[in-house]
Amino acid sequence: MSTDRTRPAGRRDQSGPRSAPSGPRSASSGPRSVPPQRSRRLQPHRPQRPHQWFAERLLAVLSGQRPVHWMLGHTIGEAYDQLAELAPSTPLRATHGSRPVLRHCRGAQPATGVVEAFASIAAGDRVRAMAFRLELGADQRWRCAAVELGGERLTAGAPGPR
C-alpha cells in the first residue's frame, strides 16, 4: 500500500496529479470535481449590415453620446449639415437617467445601391422611431443621405420633437 496521499491506491507510476490539492479536506466533503465546461458553439462572425451600423451611429450622435463630426465622411448632401444643427438639441437624449438603446432595425433595398431603413429606439418607457436612407457611393461605401425621427423630417432650422 502506498503512503503517498495524493496517489490513488494501486497506482504504481511516479507521476502525481496535475495540481496539488489546495488544502486538507474532510471525509464528508467528497471528491473534488471540476464544474463541467459549457460547450459553446462557435458561430461564424456575421458582419453588421450597413443599416444596423448606421442606426447605432445616428443614435449615438442624436443622443449626445458622440460628437457630430464622428459622422463626417459617412453622410452626403445636406445630411451632415442637418446632423450638425440638430445634434446640440439631442432629440434622442436619455430620459430619467436611462440611456437610449436600439431595439430593432430593419432595412429594405428599393433600388440597387439604396437602403431605406427604420429603427425603434427605447429610452426608459419612451419609444421613438427613426428612419434613414443610405446610398452606395462610387467607392462602394454606404453614406447616410436623409434622417427622419417620429414622422417629422429633421430639417436645418426646425427644432426637433420634444
Side-chain angles (χ1 to χ4, degrees), residues 16-54:
R18 294 191 191 273
S19 62
S22 60
R25 59 184 158 152
S26 64
S28 64
S29 67
R32 290 186 186 182
S33 65
V34 176
Q37 295 289 326
R38 290 186 191 174
S39 64
R40 247 194 245 178
R41 276 201 236 162
L42 295 177
Q43 297 177 353
H45 175 69
R46 190 170 69 184
Q48 268 189 328
R49 293 185 173 159
H51 59 276
Q52 294 166 326
W53 189 87
F54 272 92

Side-chain angles (χ1 to χ4, degrees), residues 142-156:
W142 291 99
R143 291 186 177 84
C144 183
V147 179
E148 292 183 20
L149 284 178
E152 296 180 32
R153 184 169 182 91
L154 298 179
T155 57

